[in-house]
Amino acid sequence: MKSVLFYKEIVENDYSFQNELLEWIRATFPNIDALDADSLTDSSLFDLVLPVINQSDLAVIILDCKYQSPLSNLMPLMEEIWKRPDKYYILVVGENVLAKKMVKLCKHVYFNLNFEEQKELVNSLLNEE
């Protein structure tokens, strides 16, 4: 089983919840759990998300973090990732310094890929046997 979690950093002037990559993943891989959360989400939502991700053999985590907010509700997710870093593939989009520090301990991390590179990577991971 494979899963995807898309996390978007939301700030006061940017309330866009849409994401082209997430929409592409859902359209291309309808049988894969593609979950989403944002920086305004209560951290208790991760109580629902974490079991899905933990049951996955492989999980793609996309952190869309273009600003410098504290990302405190990401901590439950990051604690799980740090326990088993080899099963998580993390794409970091943006320049949030804290997000970059959080993923330092992770094995498979990709920074600021363009849209086509993101699709290519996700496609190869989710089609992998």
Side-chain angles (χ1 to χ4, degrees), residues 96-120:
N96 184 297
V97 174
L98 187 55
K100 288 182 176 185
K101 287 180 180 177
M102 287 177 160
V103 300
K104 271 189 176 180
L105 298 175
C106 301
K107 189 173 181 179
H108 310 286
V109 182
Y110 305 86
F111 293 100
N112 293 317
L113 302 177
N114 68 41
F115 181 65
E116 289 305 316
E117 292 169 330
Q118 292 172 16
K119 282 180 18 180
E120 186 178 313

mmCIF file of all heavy atoms in Angstrom, residues 96-120:
data_model
loop_
_atom_site.group_PDB
_atom_site.id
_atom_site.type_symbol
_atom_site.label_atom_id
_atom_site.label_comp_id
_atom_site.label_asym_id
_atom_site.label_seq_id
_atom_site.Cartn_x
_atom_site.Cartn_y
_atom_site.Cartn_z
ATOM 1 N N ASN A 96 10.992 27.546 3.340
ATOM 2 C CA ASN A 96 10.792 27.620 4.784
ATOM 3 C C ASN A 96 11.986 26.973 5.478
ATOM 4 O O ASN A 96 12.254 25.782 5.313
ATOM 5 C CB ASN A 96 9.490 26.930 5.177
ATOM 6 C CG ASN A 96 9.195 27.063 6.653
ATOM 7 O OD1 ASN A 96 9.935 26.588 7.491
ATOM 8 N ND2 ASN A 96 8.088 27.713 6.966
ATOM 9 N N VAL A 97 12.707 27.759 6.247
ATOM 10 C CA VAL A 97 13.925 27.296 6.915
ATOM 11 C C VAL A 97 13.619 26.160 7.891
ATOM 12 O O VAL A 97 14.348 25.172 7.962
ATOM 13 C CB VAL A 97 14.632 28.479 7.633
ATOM 14 C CG1 VAL A 97 15.818 27.995 8.447
ATOM 15 C CG2 VAL A 97 15.050 29.524 6.618
ATOM 16 N N LEU A 98 12.540 26.272 8.625
ATOM 17 C CA LEU A 98 12.183 25.238 9.593
ATOM 18 C C LEU A 98 11.860 23.918 8.895
ATOM 19 O O LEU A 98 12.272 22.849 9.359
ATOM 20 C CB LEU A 98 10.999 25.696 10.450
ATOM 21 C CG LEU A 98 10.621 24.788 11.597
ATOM 22 C CD1 LEU A 98 11.811 24.512 12.522
ATOM 23 C CD2 LEU A 98 9.474 25.385 12.392
ATOM 24 N N ALA A 99 11.145 23.973 7.782
ATOM 25 C CA ALA A 99 10.841 22.748 7.031
ATOM 26 C C ALA A 99 12.129 22.063 6.587
ATOM 27 O O ALA A 99 12.261 20.838 6.687
ATOM 28 C CB ALA A 99 9.957 23.068 5.827
ATOM 29 N N LYS A 100 13.078 22.835 6.134
ATOM 30 C CA LYS A 100 14.362 22.262 5.700
ATOM 31 C C LYS A 100 15.100 21.619 6.863
ATOM 32 O O LYS A 100 15.722 20.570 6.712
ATOM 33 C CB LYS A 100 15.222 23.334 5.037
ATOM 34 C CG LYS A 100 14.696 23.733 3.677
ATOM 35 C CD LYS A 100 15.592 24.764 3.030
ATOM 36 C CE LYS A 100 15.100 25.069 1.630
ATOM 37 N NZ LYS A 100 16.000 25.981 0.923
ATOM 38 N N LYS A 101 15.031 22.234 8.046
ATOM 39 C CA LYS A 101 15.681 21.654 9.220
ATOM 40 C C LYS A 101 14.977 20.369 9.648
ATOM 41 O O LYS A 101 15.620 19.412 10.068
ATOM 42 C CB LYS A 101 15.688 22.660 10.370
ATOM 43 C CG LYS A 101 16.673 23.782 10.174
ATOM 44 C CD LYS A 101 16.649 24.745 11.347
ATOM 45 C CE LYS A 101 17.645 25.865 11.133
ATOM 46 N NZ LYS A 101 17.609 26.856 12.212
ATOM 47 N N MET A 102 13.639 20.364 9.572
ATOM 48 C CA MET A 102 12.876 19.186 9.996
ATOM 49 C C MET A 102 13.210 17.949 9.174
ATOM 50 O O MET A 102 13.170 16.839 9.695
ATOM 51 C CB MET A 102 11.372 19.457 9.879
ATOM 52 C CG MET A 102 10.816 20.371 10.908
ATOM 53 S SD MET A 102 9.054 20.635 10.552
ATOM 54 C CE MET A 102 8.478 21.209 12.120
ATOM 55 N N VAL A 103 13.540 18.110 7.925
ATOM 56 C CA VAL A 103 13.761 16.947 7.058
ATOM 57 C C VAL A 103 15.229 16.539 6.961
ATOM 58 O O VAL A 103 15.554 15.591 6.247
ATOM 59 C CB VAL A 103 13.172 17.176 5.642
ATOM 60 C CG1 VAL A 103 11.679 17.410 5.718
ATOM 61 C CG2 VAL A 103 13.860 18.321 4.925
ATOM 62 N N LYS A 104 16.102 17.201 7.695
ATOM 63 C CA LYS A 104 17.527 16.874 7.636
ATOM 64 C C LYS A 104 17.820 15.415 7.981
ATOM 65 O O LYS A 104 18.742 14.821 7.450
ATOM 66 C CB LYS A 104 18.328 17.781 8.565
ATOM 67 C CG LYS A 104 18.779 19.048 7.920
ATOM 68 C CD LYS A 104 19.752 19.779 8.819
ATOM 69 C CE LYS A 104 20.252 21.004 8.098
ATOM 70 N NZ LYS A 104 21.204 21.747 8.910
ATOM 71 N N LEU A 105 17.049 14.842 8.892
ATOM 72 C CA LEU A 105 17.287 13.465 9.317
ATOM 73 C C LEU A 105 16.663 12.431 8.383
ATOM 74 O O LEU A 105 16.818 11.234 8.593
ATOM 75 C CB LEU A 105 16.732 13.254 10.730
ATOM 76 C CG LEU A 105 17.360 14.097 11.831
ATOM 77 C CD1 LEU A 105 16.630 13.877 13.145
ATOM 78 C CD2 LEU A 105 18.840 13.783 11.971
ATOM 79 N N CYS A 106 15.967 12.895 7.382
ATOM 80 C CA CYS A 106 15.257 11.982 6.488
ATOM 81 C C CYS A 106 16.186 11.496 5.377
ATOM 82 O O CYS A 106 17.096 12.195 4.955
ATOM 83 C CB CYS A 106 14.034 12.681 5.900
ATOM 84 S SG CYS A 106 12.915 13.242 7.192
ATOM 85 N N LYS A 107 15.917 10.300 4.921
ATOM 86 C CA LYS A 107 16.790 9.658 3.944
ATOM 87 C C LYS A 107 16.526 10.126 2.514
ATOM 88 O O LYS A 107 17.457 10.336 1.746
ATOM 89 C CB LYS A 107 16.605 8.142 4.054
ATOM 90 C CG LYS A 107 17.585 7.350 3.269
ATOM 91 C CD LYS A 107 17.448 5.883 3.575
ATOM 92 C CE LYS A 107 18.469 5.087 2.788
ATOM 93 N NZ LYS A 107 18.377 3.672 3.087
ATOM 94 N N HIS A 108 15.264 10.255 2.136
ATOM 95 C CA HIS A 108 14.890 10.580 0.753
ATOM 96 C C HIS A 108 14.215 11.950 0.722
ATOM 97 O O HIS A 108 13.013 12.055 0.955
ATOM 98 C CB HIS A 108 13.925 9.535 0.190
ATOM 99 C CG HIS A 108 14.386 8.125 0.375
ATOM 100 N ND1 HIS A 108 15.404 7.576 -0.358
ATOM 101 C CD2 HIS A 108 13.962 7.160 1.223
ATOM 102 C CE1 HIS A 108 15.591 6.326 0.015
ATOM 103 N NE2 HIS A 108 14.730 6.045 0.982
ATOM 104 N N VAL A 109 14.983 12.994 0.440
ATOM 105 C CA VAL A 109 14.444 14.354 0.448
ATOM 106 C C VAL A 109 14.808 15.028 -0.868
ATOM 107 O O VAL A 109 15.937 14.921 -1.350
ATOM 108 C CB VAL A 109 15.012 15.187 1.613
ATOM 109 C CG1 VAL A 109 14.399 16.581 1.627
ATOM 110 C CG2 VAL A 109 14.768 14.493 2.941
ATOM 111 N N TYR A 110 13.829 15.720 -1.433
ATOM 112 C CA TYR A 110 14.008 16.431 -2.695
ATOM 113 C C TYR A 110 13.553 17.869 -2.491
ATOM 114 O O TYR A 110 12.469 18.103 -1.972
ATOM 115 C CB TYR A 110 13.178 15.765 -3.803
ATOM 116 C CG TYR A 110 13.494 14.300 -3.931
ATOM 117 C CD1 TYR A 110 12.841 13.357 -3.134
ATOM 118 C CD2 TYR A 110 14.474 13.854 -4.808
ATOM 119 C CE1 TYR A 110 13.144 12.004 -3.229
ATOM 120 C CE2 TYR A 110 14.791 12.505 -4.906
ATOM 121 C CZ TYR A 110 14.120 11.593 -4.110
ATOM 122 O OH TYR A 110 14.430 10.263 -4.196
ATOM 123 N N PHE A 111 14.375 18.819 -2.916
ATOM 124 C CA PHE A 111 14.075 20.229 -2.707
ATOM 125 C C PHE A 111 13.771 20.929 -4.031
ATOM 126 O O PHE A 111 14.511 20.776 -5.006
ATOM 127 C CB PHE A 111 15.254 20.955 -2.040
ATOM 128 C CG PHE A 111 15.512 20.524 -0.638
ATOM 129 C CD1 PHE A 111 16.516 19.622 -0.347
ATOM 130 C CD2 PHE A 111 14.744 21.021 0.405
ATOM 131 C CE1 PHE A 111 16.763 19.222 0.956
ATOM 132 C CE2 PHE A 111 14.979 20.624 1.717
ATOM 133 C CZ PHE A 111 15.988 19.727 1.987
ATOM 134 N N ASN A 112 12.695 21.699 -4.026
ATOM 135 C CA ASN A 112 12.358 22.647 -5.075
ATOM 136 C C ASN A 112 12.457 22.101 -6.502
ATOM 137 O O ASN A 112 13.028 22.730 -7.386
ATOM 138 C CB ASN A 112 13.198 23.919 -4.932
ATOM 139 C CG ASN A 112 12.827 24.658 -3.667
ATOM 140 O OD1 ASN A 112 11.655 24.803 -3.334
ATOM 141 N ND2 ASN A 112 13.825 25.116 -2.935
ATOM 142 N N LEU A 113 11.888 20.925 -6.709
ATOM 143 C CA LEU A 113 11.781 20.397 -8.067
ATOM 144 C C LEU A 113 10.714 21.186 -8.803
ATOM 145 O O LEU A 113 9.731 21.612 -8.207
ATOM 146 C CB LEU A 113 11.384 18.915 -8.034
ATOM 147 C CG LEU A 113 12.312 17.963 -7.273
ATOM 148 C CD1 LEU A 113 11.726 16.558 -7.286
ATOM 149 C CD2 LEU A 113 13.710 17.971 -7.856
ATOM 150 N N ASN A 114 10.883 21.351 -10.107
ATOM 151 C CA ASN A 114 9.814 21.997 -10.862
ATOM 152 C C ASN A 114 8.653 21.013 -11.028
ATOM 153 O O ASN A 114 8.774 19.828 -10.689
ATOM 154 C CB ASN A 114 10.322 22.558 -12.201
ATOM 155 C CG ASN A 114 10.729 21.472 -13.186
ATOM 156 O OD1 ASN A 114 10.079 20.440 -13.332
ATOM 157 N ND2 ASN A 114 11.830 21.699 -13.876
ATOM 158 N N PHE A 115 7.541 21.492 -11.547
ATOM 159 C CA PHE A 115 6.329 20.670 -11.609
ATOM 160 C C PHE A 115 6.542 19.364 -12.375
ATOM 161 O O PHE A 115 6.107 18.299 -11.931
ATOM 162 C CB PHE A 115 5.180 21.482 -12.225
ATOM 163 C CG PHE A 115 3.888 20.718 -12.305
ATOM 164 C CD1 PHE A 115 3.224 20.325 -11.158
ATOM 165 C CD2 PHE A 115 3.339 20.387 -13.532
ATOM 166 C CE1 PHE A 115 2.040 19.611 -11.215
ATOM 167 C CE2 PHE A 115 2.145 19.675 -13.610
ATOM 168 C CZ PHE A 115 1.502 19.296 -12.448
ATOM 169 N N GLU A 116 7.200 19.427 -13.512
ATOM 170 C CA GLU A 116 7.439 18.205 -14.306
ATOM 171 C C GLU A 116 8.338 17.228 -13.554
ATOM 172 O O GLU A 116 8.111 16.017 -13.592
ATOM 173 C CB GLU A 116 8.032 18.552 -15.678
ATOM 174 C CG GLU A 116 7.040 19.215 -16.616
ATOM 175 C CD GLU A 116 5.760 18.400 -16.829
ATOM 176 O OE1 GLU A 116 5.844 17.169 -17.021
ATOM 177 O OE2 GLU A 116 4.666 18.990 -16.800
ATOM 178 N N GLU A 117 9.344 17.730 -12.864
ATOM 179 C CA GLU A 117 10.217 16.868 -12.062
ATOM 180 C C GLU A 117 9.453 16.242 -10.898
ATOM 181 O O GLU A 117 9.661 15.070 -10.565
ATOM 182 C CB GLU A 117 11.406 17.665 -11.526
ATOM 183 C CG GLU A 117 12.377 18.123 -12.597
ATOM 184 C CD GLU A 117 13.393 19.140 -12.090
ATOM 185 O OE1 GLU A 117 13.077 19.914 -11.159
ATOM 186 O OE2 GLU A 117 14.513 19.158 -12.642
ATOM 187 N N GLN A 118 8.552 17.009 -10.286
ATOM 188 C CA GLN A 118 7.724 16.473 -9.207
ATOM 189 C C GLN A 118 6.853 15.334 -9.729
ATOM 190 O O GLN A 118 6.768 14.265 -9.105
ATOM 191 C CB GLN A 118 6.841 17.569 -8.616
ATOM 192 C CG GLN A 118 7.585 18.631 -7.856
ATOM 193 C CD GLN A 118 6.690 19.795 -7.463
ATOM 194 O OE1 GLN A 118 5.469 19.702 -7.488
ATOM 195 N NE2 GLN A 118 7.294 20.908 -7.100
ATOM 196 N N LYS A 119 6.200 15.558 -10.855
ATOM 197 C CA LYS A 119 5.342 14.520 -11.437
ATOM 198 C C LYS A 119 6.146 13.273 -11.786
ATOM 199 O O LYS A 119 5.714 12.154 -11.510
ATOM 200 C CB LYS A 119 4.640 15.046 -12.702
ATOM 201 C CG LYS A 119 3.480 15.935 -12.402
ATOM 202 C CD LYS A 119 2.730 16.484 -13.595
ATOM 203 C CE LYS A 119 2.891 15.852 -14.915
ATOM 204 N NZ LYS A 119 2.112 16.493 -15.985
ATOM 205 N N GLU A 120 7.319 13.466 -12.370
ATOM 206 C CA GLU A 120 8.168 12.337 -12.750
ATOM 207 C C GLU A 120 8.580 11.527 -11.521
ATOM 208 O O GLU A 120 8.516 10.296 -11.526
ATOM 209 C CB GLU A 120 9.402 12.866 -13.488
ATOM 210 C CG GLU A 120 10.293 11.792 -14.049
ATOM 211 C CD GLU A 120 11.469 12.385 -14.813
ATOM 212 O OE1 GLU A 120 11.268 13.298 -15.633
ATOM 213 O OE2 GLU A 120 12.601 11.931 -14.565
#
